[in-house]
């Protein structure tokens, strides 16, 4: 298994180009199931999760072809899809188990074919992450759902889903995406109340509307979808990854350096930018991105609580905790979205961080001026990136094990960081 070796202590300086968003590309890929006409998706990041979703679509009978897309010194992937020949509605355990977002094929399969058999996603390191809200909503739309042998067996009563009024009892990104896609081909109107408002939801709605769907309100807590008979060809470019952008902004902050974060949209990162500015870090919007300057910063501790968008993103909580471990004073971090998203804490403590977890939702961090390098273990995607950040600021050498977690969501992270002065290398 690959490891990452990092020698900390160098302030980062330079430019980092943010890639297309993993959490936008995955639902966009699932949406290609909805039409038998060819689809094109560009600015796709080269990530393990994208390969997993591609394998799942191929397993259903979708034909995919990808090619490198180069614009200046920015590279990405362009994918062509042909879902006219789908010959299976089964998403098998061995594929779904590798990536929970596979459950996003459930809504599109039901909408287009009237049936689907999708393995129940297992839990993962950060929590049980059930899909009950997805299933309850699909039942309201007329699906008959039977859980058997670890699979979701879903069928529509008379071959087509019916529009319905859905009120999510708690905000769910995947649930909102599954229902929005399912509703595009349902009979009549679907209204989703308490919908997730993430930029990735807006991006998905934008693409679906280009395919001929009738969706209004994406990006607000109320989304209205009027079903249509069929969806057509469309081309779409994936929005840039706000979580990756936030991670590199914190890399500049924790190393007391200065980075231009490019291909990034600061408006999708308001909550993070506000917190970093409050901590004493200079953030300035520029064309095509923003500058993070912490060279002269005295970084102060602060309190954060993760919330659904536009609140502070749970996917940046671990990275923020690494920064707070090197700030002046104490910080309180409250994780309100997932029940077990502090797996990075014991690893950060091995590097000298002073952190106390209270219950399973809050942690007190008492900042220290230097962390020290150590051998640590990645446990999940965002925890891995928080260990990278701590290592960049730590004194001496850090070895991070199990970095396959990292490769799920960060494209070429060691190349992007070493181009800005980081002493980081992947050990095969
Ligand atoms: C998406 O996961 C993201 N993944 C996650 O990013 C992100 O952390 C999460 O949204 C929250 O923003 C993708 O977009 C592929 P949820 P998702 O449904 O859709 C509970 C990363 O690091 N819940 O909004 O699975 C659930 O257990 C990943 O890139 C139910 O109880 O998240 C959680 O506590 C990690 N029942 C909360 O809701 C359900 O049916 C939010 O989950 C669905 C969810």
């Amino acid at each position: 298994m690959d490891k990452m070796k990092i020698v900390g202590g160098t302030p980062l300086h330079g430019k980092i180009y943010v890639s297309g968003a993993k959490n936008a590309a995955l639902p966009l890929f699932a949406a290609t199931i909805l039409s038998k006409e060819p689809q094109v998706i560009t600015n796709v990041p080269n990530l393990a999760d994208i390969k997993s979703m591609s394998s799942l679509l191929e397993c259903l009978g979708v034909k995919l072809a990808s090619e490198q897309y180069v614009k200046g010194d920015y590279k990405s992937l362009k994918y062509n899809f042909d879902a006219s020949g789908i010959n299976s509605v089964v998403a098998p355990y061995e594929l779904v188990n590798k990536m929970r977002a596979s459950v996003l094929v459930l809504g599109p399969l039901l909408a287009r074919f009237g049936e689907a058999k999708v393995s129940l996603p297992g839990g993962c390191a950060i929590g049980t992450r059930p899909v009950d809200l997805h299933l309850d909503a699909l039942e309201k739309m007329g699906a008959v759902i039977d859980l058997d042998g670890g699979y979701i067996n879903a069928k529509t009563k008379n071959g087509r889903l019916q529009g319905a009024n859905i009120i999510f009892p708690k905000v769910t990104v995947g649930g909102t995406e599954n229902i929005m896609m399912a509703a595009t081909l349902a009979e009549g109107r679907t209204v989703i109340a308490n919908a997730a408002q993430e930029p990735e939801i807006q991006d998905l709605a934008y693409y679906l509307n280009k395919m001929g769907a009738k969706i209004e309100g994406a990006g607000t807590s109320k989304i209205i979808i009027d079903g249509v008979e069929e969806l057509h060809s469309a081309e779409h470019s994936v929005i840039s990854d706000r979580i990756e952008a936030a991670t590199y902004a914190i890399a500049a902050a924790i190393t007391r350096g200065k980075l231009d974060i490019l291909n990034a949209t600061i408006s999708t990162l308001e909550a993070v930018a506000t917190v970093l500015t409050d901590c004493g870090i200079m953030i300035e919007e520029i064309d095509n991105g923003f500058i993070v300057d912490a060279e002269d910063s005295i970084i102060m501790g602060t309190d954060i609580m993760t919330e659904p968008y536009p609140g502070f993103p749970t996917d940046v909580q671990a990275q923020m905790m690494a920064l707070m471990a090197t700030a002046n004073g104490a910080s309180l971090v409250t994780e309100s979205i997932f029940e077990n998203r502090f797996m990075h804490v014991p690893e950060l403590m091995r590097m000298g961080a002073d952190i106390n977890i209270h219950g399973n939702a809050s942690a007190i961090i008492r900042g220290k001026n230097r962390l020290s390098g150590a051998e640590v273990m990645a446990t999940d995607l965002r925890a891995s990136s928080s260990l990278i950040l701590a290592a960049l600021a730590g004194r001496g050498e850090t070895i991070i094990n199990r970095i396959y977690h990292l490769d799920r969501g960060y494209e070429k992270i060691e190349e992007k960081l070493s181009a800005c002065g980081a002493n980081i290398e992947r050990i095969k």
Side-chain angles (χ1 to χ4, degrees):
M1 274 195 251
D2 288 5
K3 300 177 183 215
M4 205 71 91
K5 184 173 89 170
I6 295 161
V7 177
T10 313
L12 300 185
H13 289 90
K15 297 178 187 310
I16 290 189
Y17 286 91
V18 173
S19 304
K22 164 178 86 79
N23 291 350
L26 294 172
L28 291 168
F29 272 46
T32 62
I33 290 170
L34 289 163
S35 170
K36 57 182 181 301
E37 296 182 16
Q39 307 296 325
V40 177
I41 298 180
T42 60
N43 197 36
V44 178
N46 184 2
L47 298 170
D49 273 9
I50 298 295
K51 292 188 177 67
S52 302
M53 181 60 91
S54 303
S55 308
L56 173 56
L57 291 179
E58 283 167 341
C59 172
L60 298 172
V62 180
K63 291 191 186 60
L64 290 90
S66 66
E67 60 193 79
Q68 181 106 33
Y69 177 76
V70 180
K71 190 173 158 196
D73 44 5
Y74 178 67
K75 294 189 182 70
S76 65
L77 291 172
K78 172 180 179 180
Y79 273 79
N80 291 282
F81 303 81
D82 172 2
S84 60
I86 286 182
N87 51 19
S88 165
V89 291
V90 180
Y93 172 75
E94 63 274 6
L95 289 178
V96 176
N97 187 42
K98 269 171 58 180
M99 189 190 60
R100 311 178 31 74
S102 309
V103 76
L104 292 173
V105 303
L106 176 61
L109 287 172
L110 261 181
R112 184 164 160 216
F113 300 102
E115 62 175 323
K117 180 174 176 163
V118 177
S119 170
L120 270 168
C124 78
I126 62 178
T128 52
R129 298 182 72 183
V131 289
D132 54 319
L133 303 180
H134 302 228
L135 304 183
D136 295 347
L138 288 169
E139 283 179 331
K140 287 196 181 70
M141 296 176 72
V144 177
I145 292 182
D146 167 44
L147 302 184
D148 179 44
Y151 276 82
I152 302 161
N153 300 290
K155 278 192 189 322
T156 51
K157 284 194 190 93
N158 53 12
R160 191 175 183 189
L161 290 170
Q162 304 300 311
N165 289 325
I166 307 292
I167 303 173
F168 279 124
K170 80 194 291 193
V171 174
T172 161
V173 173
T176 302
E177 290 164 344
N178 238 334
I179 297 312
M180 196 164 74
M181 290 189 282
T184 56
L185 295 176
E187 177 95 44
R189 170 167 284 196
T190 297
V191 179
I192 304 174
N194 199 25
Q197 305 179 51
E198 270 70 4
E200 292 77 29
I201 306 258
Q202 294 179 57
D203 200 44
L204 177 61
Y206 184 31
Y207 172 52
L208 290 167
N209 282 341
K210 279 195 236 178
M211 293 170 79
K214 290 188 170 44
I215 301 172
E216 286 173 32
T220 74
S221 62
K222 181 176 177 186
I223 303 177
I224 299 172
I225 307 106
D226 287 316
V228 296
E229 292 307 309
E230 60 180 11
L231 296 177
H232 309 293
S233 276
E235 174 156 347
H236 186 74
S237 176
V238 180
I239 53 166
S240 75
D241 194 321
R242 60 192 169 94
I243 306 301
E244 187 191 10
T247 305
Y248 291 127
I250 295 174
I254 202 168
T255 60
R256 306 304 188 265
K258 178 178 178 183
L259 288 177
D260 294 11
I261 314 286
L262 302 172
N263 282 353
T265 315
I266 191 93
S267 60
T268 63
L269 275 175
E270 289 294 348
V272 175
T274 303
V275 164
L276 292 178
T277 306
D278 292 350
C279 293
I281 293 144
M282 202 284 287
I283 292 187
E284 183 195 342
E285 190 171 0
I286 54 175
D287 280 352
N288 191 28
F290 58 97
I291 297 173
V292 180
D293 183 352
E295 286 176 325
D296 309 321
S297 298
I298 309 284
I299 296 180
M300 305 307 293
T302 186
D303 297 347
I304 60 162
M305 181 162 87
T306 63
E307 291 172 305
Y309 194 88
F312 193 93
T314 173
D315 292 349
V316 183
Q317 178 258 107
Q319 299 91 309
M320 194 67 201
M321 197 182 275
L323 177 62
M324 292 298 95
T326 69
N328 288 275
S331 304
L332 175 65
V333 171
T334 305
E335 170 57 58
S336 69
I337 307 287
F338 288 105
E339 68 265 28
N340 183 32
R341 203 167 194 177
F342 285 149
M343 307 279 279
H344 45 286
V345 170
E347 301 303 315
L348 290 173
M349 289 169 75
R350 284 179 51 73
M351 300 176 73
D354 178 351
I355 303 172
N356 280 303
I357 294 177
H358 284 244
N360 66 358
S362 292
I364 297 273
I365 301 105
R366 291 179 177 79
K368 298 172 76 171
N369 60 356
R370 285 309 291 268
L371 298 176
S372 55
E375 181 152 7
V376 291
M377 187 175 75
T379 51
D380 58 271
L381 169 57
R382 305 305 173 181
S384 321
S385 64
S386 85
L387 297 178
I388 294 250
L389 296 173
L392 289 171
R395 186 187 311 109
E397 180 180 285
T398 295
I399 299 285
I400 303 176
N401 294 294
R402 301 192 183 178
I403 55 163
Y404 58 85
H405 290 289
L406 202 63
D407 297 334
R408 298 188 47 185
Y410 288 94
E411 186 181 40
K412 300 195 286 267
I413 188 165
E414 67 267 31
E415 286 172 36
K416 293 184 180 185
L417 287 173
S418 51
C420 296
N423 182 337
I424 178 172
E425 68 173 304
R426 181 181 292 257
I427 305 168
K428 292 285 178 196

